């Protein structure tokens, strides 16, 4: 799996948290959080990020799909996929590239790197442990 992940990442122009934040703030990138609900409830959210469960990602971001989200405006959208630590997001971004979203990439280090960089995070759910 490590070799596969390395090959996948060679196809991505991965982005670090500070650059992703700047791109999102400038309206140049769409941050897409694919973490499962328990992680979002435990750790919080990136303000402005679109939350899409991993099993729905391709359906929701395919600009030609009947189940697409309004943000899926074309194949040139700069999608930055965010998972917890930057592993699943690499595979997800590669899948989006295969759909024709040629600017899709992922956040190096995932949500944990974003938070460690001191970037904005909403508070975790008050009902979380």
């Amino acid at each position: 799996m490590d070799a596969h992940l390395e090959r996948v990442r060679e196809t991505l122009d991965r982005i670090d948290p500070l650059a992703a934040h700047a791109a999102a703030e400038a309206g140049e990138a769409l941050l897409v959080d694919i973490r499962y609900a328990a992680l979002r409830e435990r750790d919080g959210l990136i303000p402005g990020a679109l939350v899409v469960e991993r099993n729905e990602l391709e359906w929701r971001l395919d600009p030609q799909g009947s189940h697409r989200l309004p943000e899926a405006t074309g194949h040139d959208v700069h999608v930055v996929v965010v998972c917890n630590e930057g592993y699943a997001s690499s595979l997800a971004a590669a899948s989006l590239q295969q759909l024709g979203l040629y600017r899709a990439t992922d956040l190096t280090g995932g949500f944990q790197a974003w938070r460690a960089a001191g970037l904005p995070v909403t508070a975790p759910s008050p009902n979380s442990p």
Side-chain angles (χ1 to χ4, degrees):
M1 187 60 204
D2 290 338
H4 174 65
L5 186 60
E6 191 174 317
R7 283 190 304 275
V8 164
R9 286 180 171 166
E10 289 174 2
T11 69
L12 302 173
D13 185 16
R14 301 183 81 209
I15 188 168
D16 67 54
L18 294 175
H21 180 257
E25 286 289 305
E28 298 169 355
L30 175 65
L31 302 179
V32 179
D33 187 343
I34 63 167
R35 294 175 301 141
Y36 54 89
L39 289 176
R40 296 190 312 266
E41 291 168 4
R42 182 189 77 189
D43 295 339
L45 297 168
I46 295 172
L50 183 65
V51 174
V52 180
E53 296 285 338
R54 173 62 189 99
N55 63 330
E56 296 181 355
L57 184 67
E58 292 83 358
W59 298 103
R60 300 295 186 208
L61 293 183
D62 179 1
Q64 296 177 330
S66 59
H67 300 289
R68 71 183 173 276
L69 293 169
E71 293 84 356
T73 57
H75 288 97
D76 61 342
V77 174
H78 185 200
V79 174
V80 179
V81 182
V82 180
C83 69
N84 194 48
E85 295 182 344
Y87 295 98
S89 58
S90 294
L91 301 174
S95 179
L96 292 176
Q97 284 186 351
Q98 290 174 345
L99 281 177
L101 290 139
Y102 63 92
R103 297 180 67 204
T105 191
D106 74 322
L107 182 66
T108 305
F111 178 86
Q112 297 305 324
W114 177 280
R115 184 169 63 180
L119 295 169
V121 174
T122 62
S125 169
N127 299 329
S128 62

